[in-house]
Amino acid sequence: MPAAQPGGRHWAEDLARRYLEGLGWRVLEANYAVRGGEIDLIARDGATIVFVEVRQRRDARYGHPAETIDRRKVARWQRTARRFLAERLGEPDARTRFDAVVVLGDEHDPTLSHLRDVI
């Protein structure tokens, strides 16, 4: 079982957050959850709101972590993002993008990949 941080966060989400902030992005929300969906990180990249899914696996023996983002996940991700834009941000027509941060390895030796525009 992955090590969770206080508040239910996973070490890979903290790593992804630090990476995105290092790009100059402003993280607006972490672990935004509503009935029927959850988004790991929501950030602002310039004028674009980016919804970020963080996926971590120790290794790729059973497939790359990005392969776990299936149609059902995408549909929940999009619904949850629309809700965030309308209810929390008050900008239902904001420019958006959906990215994934994929981490292979453990917290002592991680390899991070940033996949832009995954859907």
Side-chain angles (χ1 to χ4, degrees), residues 22-40:
L23 295 176
W25 295 16
R26 186 166 57 100
V27 174
L28 304 174
E29 186 106 21
N31 300 108
Y32 174 73
V34 294
R35 185 181 180 118
E38 187 257 343
I39 298 174
D40 295 324

Side-chain angles (χ1 to χ4, degrees), residues 12-104:
E13 291 176 6
D14 289 336
L15 178 68
R17 181 184 188 128
R18 289 191 307 272
Y19 165 79
L20 297 174
E21 290 173 337
L23 295 176
W25 295 16
R26 186 166 57 100
V27 174
L28 304 174
E29 186 106 21
N31 300 108
Y32 174 73
V34 294
R35 185 181 180 118
E38 187 257 343
I39 298 174
D40 295 324
L41 296 168
I42 303 169
R44 187 177 289 278
D45 174 17
T48 303
I49 304 300
V50 186
F51 298 95
V52 182
E53 179 69 15
V54 179
R55 294 293 176 147
Q56 184 270 334
R57 284 193 175 169
R58 189 169 297 280
D59 58 49
R61 182 177 338 163
Y62 299 107
H64 194 271
E67 294 171 12
T68 64
I69 301 173
D70 60 14
R71 260 182 311 155
R72 284 183 29 218
K73 172 62 186 172
V74 167
R76 284 192 310 271
W77 199 5
Q78 290 173 318
R79 273 193 313 273
T80 305
R82 282 192 300 271
R83 218 164 141 188
F84 175 83
L85 291 171
E87 295 176 6
R88 186 69 65 94
L89 200 60
E91 297 180 38
D93 298 322
R95 182 184 326 161
T96 61
R97 189 173 74 232
F98 293 84
D99 290 5
V101 172
V102 179
V103 181
L104 279 173

